[in-house]
Amino acid sequence: MSIVKFLTSKVFFKQLALAIVAVVILIFAVLKWLNYTTNHGKFETVPDLKGKSIEVANLELEDNDLVMKIQDSANFNPDYPKYSVIDQEPPAGEKVKENRKIYITLNPSGYRKIAVPNLKGRTFRQAKPTLEALGFTIGKKTFVDYLGENEVVKMTYKGNTIKDGDLLPKTSVIDVVLGNGNRGSSN
């Protein structure tokens, strides 16, 4: 039997029809199985966790069949309580599948501590942007007899002299003692 004769025979068309029916049934079965295993059309709503403690956030996520993943946070936000949620991904109100990971960022217990650089002998014009870039705030400026005019003689925090490398919380107010350009002894 030649190939042309076989391709035009009834046996070939019966086999082709059976193969097409089998493929359609297989595709239909796979789609039904996927709908069932992926919970097609079933979603959970992400709750609003901002400002809530880690324990409350975990309970709310468990109630909604969601999983909490904590991301490290170095950015202290004074508007939120310590160790409370300050951000979440995906955001509140979004529809997600059950057992989806919800990434939360916690508020640390306070501002991180930063090493204060040695600015003694630098001009105030140099010292101010350096301190502000590190997150510190310039407090009182006082002047003492010192030959270098507007030169940093010392820096203090809450009345205590700051030594090179001292660690202070970000946003700390640093008072600066500057020279007034007059000859005299330095403090």
Side-chain angles (χ1 to χ4, degrees):
M1 184 182 256
S2 74
I3 288 201
V4 174
K5 210 174 196 185
F6 174 72
L7 291 177
T8 58
S9 70
K10 286 184 180 181
V11 173
F12 173 74
F13 285 112
K14 282 183 184 177
Q15 296 298 322
L16 184 62
L18 285 173
I20 290 172
V21 168
V23 168
V24 168
I25 290 172
L26 183 64
I27 289 173
F28 181 76
V30 167
L31 288 176
K32 284 296 181 188
W33 176 76
L34 282 174
N35 279 343
Y36 176 73
T37 58
T38 61
N39 295 327
H40 183 70
K42 296 179 185 174
F43 296 100
E44 300 292 337
T45 303
V46 178
D48 186 9
L49 304 173
K50 287 187 179 179
K52 296 180 179 172
S53 70
I54 189 168
E55 294 83 13
V56 171
N58 194 31
L59 286 173
E60 283 194 31
L61 290 175
E62 285 177 358
D63 288 346
N64 288 302
D65 296 320
L66 300 170
V67 179
M68 176 171 57
K69 288 290 179 187
I70 299 172
Q71 294 182 317
D72 189 27
S73 174
N75 298 325
F76 178 70
N77 187 336
D79 299 334
Y80 289 96
K82 294 177 183 177
Y83 306 115
S84 66
V85 178
I86 58 174
D87 196 20
Q88 70 184 69
E89 184 61 38
E94 192 164 307
K95 304 280 188 196
V96 296
K97 296 285 188 179
E98 69 179 38
N99 293 322
R100 165 82 186 263
K101 292 177 184 169
I102 307 300
Y103 295 93
I104 62 170
T105 305
L106 297 178
N107 201 21
S109 62
Y111 289 106
R112 64 186 167 106
K113 297 202 176 208
I114 300 172
V116 180
N118 182 7
L119 299 174
K120 187 174 182 176
R122 301 262 178 99
T123 65
F124 180 71
R125 188 174 174 184
Q126 294 170 319
K128 183 179 184 222
T130 302
L131 291 172
E132 289 175 344
L134 291 171
F136 297 116
T137 304
I138 303 295
K140 293 187 296 183
K141 290 191 307 184
T142 53
F143 293 88
V144 295
D145 284 340
Y146 187 78
L147 191 56
E149 187 175 354
N150 284 322
E151 192 175 295
V152 177
V153 176
K154 71 177 181 178
M155 298 182 296
T156 62
Y157 173 67
K158 294 185 177 178
N160 299 318
T161 300
I162 299 172
K163 294 182 277 314
D164 182 27
D166 280 355
L167 297 175
L168 295 179
K170 190 176 179 180
T171 72
S172 295
V173 178
I174 296 177
D175 297 324
V176 183
V177 178
L178 304 170
N180 61 10
N182 296 329
R183 185 177 299 271
S185 65
S186 66
N187 288 353

